[in-house]
Amino acid sequence: MFAKIFGELKTLLSLRSLKVRFFVIILIVGIIPSIFMRGAIVDNYEERAVEQRIATVQNQLLIVGNHLLNNKYLVTYKSDETVYRNSRAVINAELEMISNLYEGRVMIIDSSLRVVKDTYGISDDKTIISEEVIKCLRGENTSNYDKEHGYIEMTTPIVDSTATDGDGKGSGKIVGVMLTSISNDSIVETMDILNRKSMVIEQLMIVIIVAFAFILSIILTKPFDRVTEAINEIQAGYSDRTISVPDYTETEHIVEAFNQLLKRMKALDDSRQEFVANVSHELKTPMASVKVLADSLLAQENAPAELYREFMEDIVSEIDRENRIITDLLALVKMDKKVLDLNIASLNINDLVELILKRLRPLARKRDVEVVFESMRPVTAEVDEVKMTLIMTNLVENSIKYNKEHGWVKVELDADHQFFTFRVSDSGLGIPEEELSHIYERFYRVDKSHSREIGGTGLGLAITKSAVLMHRGSITVTSVEGEGSSFTVRIPLTYIAQAVV
């Protein structure tokens, strides 16, 4: 158990690990919102608490304001000094109560900016010039929260609803202002408590998120681990079956690509075994013929010279056939080295085709086959001259050899802005449709008897396709049995070497 956990932690320490990336992403996605959430909760509480405190104080001050008007607090008169003092004492008590309750200061200011009452007893009967007071006298209430100094300042109008204008209508005249400053200590204390509690909750959430991220990163990468285990089993030789991990679309794609690779490897292995068997057979057949011929000569003690010559010619023919097979095998082995043997140079393809056809026309005349070359435009491309010569020679030579009497071979050359196209069409024997997919296999012959008759080894098209692929090109064929075939090769004009990883 501990060994497994230690292994997981060791994996997580690697930044290249998919697990650690999942872990970090989940951690960030979980922790950052919780941090912002704590700040948002505290800030939102502070804003709402200040608004609520202002609203509460304002309501109480409005009530006190009505009492002020009812008791003629702002009016100085001496008709009944006792009543005046009693009513003023009641209002002062209310103001002191509000001041003590909210740990603040209340000043009553009349319309002439004179301080009628200051609960701190500092500014009584003084004149105050304040922007907030003037705005309030004009009907604009203000409130200000000074977070740095820890107080809330607000203005509350004293409105005389019984006042009338010139038309005798109620005007609601503002006859004074209550300038109030209250402490925010209770809000700060509550915020501190809320902040401490939210910190504890946040730390607990971080622990939970870390554990969740760790577990989830392991769960999310589990399918990839199963893919790795399945591949390792195949690599170790314990299994050769296709694998299936359908948990994610990504694992399906990886598994599908690996299964295709596995299928191709099996096909290559089967092809390699078949190739070895074919090589053994192809090399053994001429040797067997040579041995039969030699044994026949040894068995005849007084064989005439003409018979010796005939047998020796047959032996030389079999040796030549053996030599052609070995030469083609060596060429095919070299092709397997891919781009390492390419000698790329800019080449005039038109001149190369003309040179190849010049070499092959004697063979065509011998078989009474007409060879026609049709070039659409001058073509220059970056190719390996030797291997491109091999491609064109094999295709044209096959079209001549596997042709009908009085037949024809048409060679076409064309290009666009990316590729050049080399097409060889003939009026030959054609290829059955069911055999088209096998013609590039090594030692495969469509017409085995005819191939042996003209000296074919069954390796020509395999060599041709390898050379085409080395140039990162393509080769396609269309054929109708008894009517002829057409091979089309497309090669990039500019060679781009494959990056070595």
Side-chain angles (χ1 to χ4, degrees):
M1 179 66 179
F2 290 106
K4 186 176 181 181
I5 294 174
F6 179 76
E8 296 294 345
L9 288 173
K10 188 176 180 181
T11 304
L12 286 175
L13 291 175
S14 173
L15 289 176
R16 294 182 60 194
S17 170
L18 188 61
K19 287 182 182 178
V20 74
R21 294 183 182 182
F22 276 138
F23 177 78
V24 171
I25 290 171
I26 297 168
L27 203 62
I28 292 172
V29 171
I31 290 177
I32 290 180
S34 66
I35 294 173
F36 279 109
M37 188 180 297
R38 178 175 64 85
I41 290 172
V42 173
D43 291 343
N44 185 61
Y45 167 77
E46 183 179 18
E47 183 179 346
R48 293 293 300 276
V50 169
E51 289 177 358
Q52 188 175 2
R53 196 172 182 83
I54 290 172
T56 303
V57 175
Q58 287 278 24
N59 289 334
Q60 293 187 6
L61 290 173
L62 287 173
I63 295 171
V64 173
N66 290 330
H67 290 173
L68 290 174
L69 292 172
N70 293 333
N71 290 280
K72 307 295 183 179
Y73 190 85
L74 298 177
V75 179
T76 303
Y77 61 95
K78 300 181 180 179
S79 59
D80 191 345
E81 190 70 27
T82 303
V83 174
Y84 176 71
R85 282 201 200 96
N86 291 337
S87 63
R88 192 177 180 87
V90 172
I91 300 301
N92 288 340
E94 290 185 15
L95 294 174
E96 291 293 340
M97 182 188 68
I98 293 173
S99 178
N100 294 330
L101 180 63
Y102 295 105
E103 299 176 355
R105 179 184 184 184
V106 181
M107 288 191 293
I108 308 299
I109 304 164
D110 63 16
S111 58
S112 62
L113 301 180
R114 182 177 66 88
V115 178
V116 178
K117 173 64 179 176
D118 180 4
T119 56
Y120 277 12
I122 298 173
S123 302
D124 288 338
D125 293 325
K126 292 182 180 179
T127 300
I128 183 169
I129 299 175
S130 169
E131 182 181 357
E132 288 78 10
V133 172
I134 295 171
K135 284 183 178 180
C136 188
L137 287 171
R138 292 175 180 173
E140 183 181 345
N141 290 2
T142 60
S143 63
N144 178 43
Y145 174 46
D146 192 333
K147 187 175 182 179
E148 183 179 353
H149 296 94
Y151 69 87
I152 304 169
E153 186 179 75
M154 69 190 78
T155 58
T156 307
I158 302 173
V159 182
D160 186 1
S161 58
T162 62
T164 58
D165 55 16
D167 297 332
K169 297 180 180 179
S171 61
K173 182 180 178 182
I174 298 175
V175 296
V177 175
M178 286 182 283
L179 179 61
T180 310
S181 298
I182 58 175
S183 172
N184 72 334
D185 289 346
S186 60
I187 297 176
V188 171
E189 289 175 5
T190 305
M191 284 177 56
D192 288 340
I193 295 171
L194 184 62
N195 198 35
R196 287 196 297 271
K197 289 184 177 180
S198 61
M199 280 286 290
V200 172
I201 295 172
E202 182 183 325
Q203 290 170 1
L204 182 61
M205 285 181 62
I206 288 174
V207 172
I208 295 171
I209 290 168
V210 169
F212 177 75
F214 182 75
I215 295 170
L216 192 59
S217 64
I218 295 173
I219 293 173
L220 289 175
T221 56
K222 204 69 177 176
F224 295 97
D225 293 337
R226 289 206 299 274
V227 171
T228 304
E229 290 173 5
I231 292 174
N232 288 337
E233 284 188 3
I234 293 173
Q235 183 182 3
Y238 299 133
S239 172
D240 60 353
R241 294 178 298 175
T242 57
I243 60 179
S244 175
V245 184
D247 299 63
Y248 305 140
T249 303
E250 290 76 9
T251 55
E252 282 187 349
H253 291 167
I254 293 171
V255 166
E256 184 179 352
F258 178 77
N259 287 337
Q260 292 294 329
L261 178 62
L262 183 63
K263 192 180 296 184
R264 177 169 173 75
M265 289 173 62
K266 288 180 180 178
L268 287 174
D269 189 53
D270 293 341
S271 175
R272 188 180 295 109
Q273 293 179 10
E274 184 180 356
F275 176 69
V276 171
N278 288 336
V279 167
S280 301
H281 173 74
E282 294 293 335
L283 293 178
K284 185 178 180 181
T285 301
M287 294 301 296
S289 298
V290 169
K291 188 174 188 311
V292 168
L293 291 169
D295 288 342
S296 299
L297 285 176
L298 290 174
Q300 301 181 40
E301 295 182 359
N302 298 317
E306 292 79 6
L307 185 62
Y308 266 96
R309 184 176 183 84
E310 181 183 348
F311 275 37
M312 290 304 295
E313 286 176 354
D314 291 339
I315 290 173
V316 169
S317 176
E318 292 298 326
I319 292 173
D320 287 341
R321 181 181 163 198
E322 184 100 359
N323 186 54
R324 284 196 300 272
I325 294 172
I326 292 172
T327 301
D328 284 349
L329 283 172
L330 290 174
L332 204 55
V333 169
K334 288 181 179 180
M335 292 293 179
D336 286 340
K337 294 181 181 179
K338 301 297 179 188
V339 297
L340 299 179
D341 284 342
L342 284 180
N343 184 19
I344 301 297
S346 183
L347 196 66
N348 187 314
I349 305 300
N350 302 71
D351 292 344
L352 180 63
V353 176
E354 291 282 5
L355 181 61
I356 291 170
L357 295 183
K358 182 179 179 181
R359 293 174 183 170
L360 293 176
R361 277 197 173 95
L363 176 63
R365 284 194 293 268
K366 183 178 178 182
R367 304 182 66 86
D368 194 18
V369 174
E370 181 184 6
V371 179
V372 179
F373 176 42
E374 184 177 341
S375 176
M376 307 302 177
R377 57 183 51 81
V379 178
T380 301
E382 296 176 0
V383 295
D384 182 300
E385 183 176 359
V386 174
K387 290 177 176 56
M388 190 52 59
T389 300
L390 187 64
I391 293 169
M392 295 177 174
T393 301
N394 278 345
L395 293 177
V396 176
E397 188 174 4
N398 280 352
S399 292
I400 294 172
K401 287 181 177 179
Y402 296 94
N403 213 317
K404 299 175 182 177
E405 191 175 352
H406 312 301
W408 53 267
V409 173
K410 184 178 181 181
V411 179
E412 298 173 83
L413 183 64
D414 197 1
D416 55 25
H417 64 289
Q418 285 186 315
F419 298 87
F420 77 85
T421 304
F422 176 75
R423 181 177 291 109
V424 180
S425 306
D426 61 56
S427 60
L429 305 175
I431 304 170
E433 185 177 355
E434 64 274 10
E435 298 197 36
L436 284 174
S437 59
H438 302 287
I439 60 174
Y440 301 110
E441 295 176 7
R442 299 167 181 181
F443 293 111
Y444 189 84
R445 298 182 181 89
V446 177
D447 185 350
K448 296 177 175 56
S449 60
H450 192 51
S451 296
R452 293 285 174 84
E453 180 185 333
I454 62 175
T457 62
L459 295 172
L461 286 178
I463 294 172
T464 301
K465 185 174 182 180
S466 294
V468 169
L469 294 178
M470 289 173 71
H471 285 86
R472 309 193 71 75
S474 63
I475 180 170
T476 57
V477 58
T478 57
S479 183
V480 178
E481 189 175 7
E483 296 183 13
S485 304
S486 178
F487 285 85
T488 303
V489 175
R490 293 183 78 237
I491 303 291
L493 293 172
T494 304
Y495 178 78
I496 300 176
Q498 186 177 8
V500 178
V501 180

